[in-house]
């Protein structure tokens, strides 16, 4: 079983829709969790970290469920500019251990 | 700030040729990483360096070597390129107390 698994997508949604992505992780020692965004032919960039209590940044909400070992990303009021691939990543601590990424979920927001 | 700089951006190699991918960061980060990204496979860790002078294997190290030349630079070498190494290679760096990894723009490598 891969350490981090994501819905592969693609998700094709109309503008204004709400879309949710899930990501499961297998290593219970994982301590830090993230969502990265990757535009076509570009490098990944941090979208948001995921905190135990959940966190929100504008239209984006991230949640962590340690008991079930998954993280989620909710995008409300989707914009065309949200079209990208969303990668979840986990690491065992915030020190030097590498980030382990999921395969990514592709989102296309359609006018 | 340049952030993480990778060179070259594009490369075509013939099977059996060797090359070194260069990566440098100017953010004084301790940790540096090399990932490869293939369609449908996501980002897979090749090697990483937790600090200057140390390197460790990741998920897919076969066919690669690395050198952490100093705190700024972390290079990836392909000694004898194979078509299976056709991929997009990303270098990244991170501070120990930071959660965010910063990526270079990637190197698109084709082995024919």
């Amino acid at each position: 079983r891969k350490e981090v698994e994501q819905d592969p997508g693609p998700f094709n949604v109309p503008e204004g829709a709400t879309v949710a992505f899930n990501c499961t992780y297998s290593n219970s020692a994982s301590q830090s969790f993230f969502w990265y965004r990757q535009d076509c032919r570009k490098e990944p960039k941090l979208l948001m970290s995921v905190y135990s209590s959940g966190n929100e940044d504008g239209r984006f909400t991230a949640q962590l469920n340690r008991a079930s070992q998954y993280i989620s990303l909710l995008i409300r009021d989707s914009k065309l500019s949200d079209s990208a691939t969303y990668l979840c990543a986990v690491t065992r601590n915030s020190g030097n251990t590498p980030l382990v990424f999921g395969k990514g979920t592709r989102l296309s927001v359609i006018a | 700030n340049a952030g993480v700089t990778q060179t070259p951006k594009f490369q075509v190699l013939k099977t059996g040729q060797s090359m070194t991918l260069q990566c440098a960061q100017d953010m004084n980060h301790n940790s540096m990483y090399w990932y490869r990204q293939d369609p449908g496979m996501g980002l897979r860790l090749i090697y990483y360096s937790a600090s200057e002078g140390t390197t460790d294997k990741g998920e897919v190290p076969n066919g690669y070597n690395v050198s952490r030349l100093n705190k700024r630079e972390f290079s990836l070498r392909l000694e004898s390129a194979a078509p299976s190494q056709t991929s997009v290679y990303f270098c990244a760096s991170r501070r120990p107390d930071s959660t965010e990894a910063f990526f270079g723009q990637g190197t698109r490598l084709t082995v024919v």
Side-chain angles (χ1 to χ4, degrees):
Chain A
R1 181 186 172 189
K2 195 156 171 58
E3 189 168 342
V4 179
E5 299 201 62
Q6 285 185 251
D7 293 335
F11 283 57
N12 299 312
V13 303
E15 271 187 295
T18 295
V19 60
F21 305 135
N22 289 323
C23 173
T24 59
Y25 60 94
S26 60
N27 191 333
S28 58
S30 299
Q31 293 188 19
S32 300
F33 309 89
F34 315 92
W35 284 101
Y36 276 74
R37 171 188 168 130
Q38 185 175 24
D39 293 305
C40 189
R41 301 181 73 83
K42 298 287 189 180
E43 72 274 22
K45 292 184 179 178
L46 181 69
L47 177 66
M48 55 198 305
S49 300
V50 187
Y51 302 120
S52 296
S53 55
N55 47 298
E56 188 173 307
D57 182 3
R59 298 181 292 107
F60 298 84
T61 301
Q63 301 250 322
L64 166 64
N65 185 317
R66 285 190 185 272
S68 300
Q69 295 186 196
Y70 77 83
I71 62 173
S72 63
L73 177 68
L74 184 76
I75 305 175
R76 290 181 300 278
D77 189 23
S78 299
K79 311 290 185 192
L80 293 175
S81 57
D82 294 333
S83 297
T85 296
Y86 292 83
L87 300 152
C88 65
V90 305
T91 185
R92 288 179 204 155
N93 59 48
S94 60
N96 295 320
T97 53
L99 295 176
V100 181
F101 286 85
K103 293 183 181 180
T105 301
R106 187 171 172 188
L107 172 66
S108 292
V109 181
I110 304 160
Chain B
N1 264 352
V4 180
T5 303
Q6 288 183 236
T7 55
K9 288 189 171 45
F10 301 92
Q11 184 71 49
V12 178
L13 288 179
K14 293 182 179 178
T15 297
Q17 285 185 318
S18 62
M19 79 162 293
T20 300
L21 281 64
Q22 307 286 354
C23 175
Q25 51 90 10
D26 62 2
M27 296 174 283
N28 202 35
H29 289 171
N30 288 344
S31 301
M32 297 186 73
Y33 313 91
W34 277 106
Y35 292 89
R36 61 177 288 176
Q37 187 172 37
D38 303 291
M41 299 297 292
L43 284 160
R44 293 183 292 169
L45 183 68
I46 305 171
Y47 270 95
Y48 68 103
S49 171
S51 61
E52 188 178 351
T54 68
T55 60
D56 285 285
K57 294 179 181 179
E59 181 185 353
V60 288
N62 291 345
Y64 305 96
N65 286 301
V66 290
S67 295
R68 183 73 183 268
L69 304 169
N70 48 54
K71 193 171 187 180
R72 289 188 64 246
E73 298 172 287
F74 188 37
S75 63
L76 179 71
R77 183 161 178 83
L78 287 69
E79 291 291 352
S80 179
S84 60
Q85 294 177 306
T86 293
S87 188
V88 181
Y89 291 85
F90 286 103
C91 176
S93 72
R94 190 164 158 234
R95 284 197 326 258
D97 60 344
S98 171
T99 56
E100 183 173 4
F102 293 84
F103 285 80
Q105 292 182 309
T107 296
R108 296 184 176 275
L109 175 67
T110 302
V111 183
V112 297

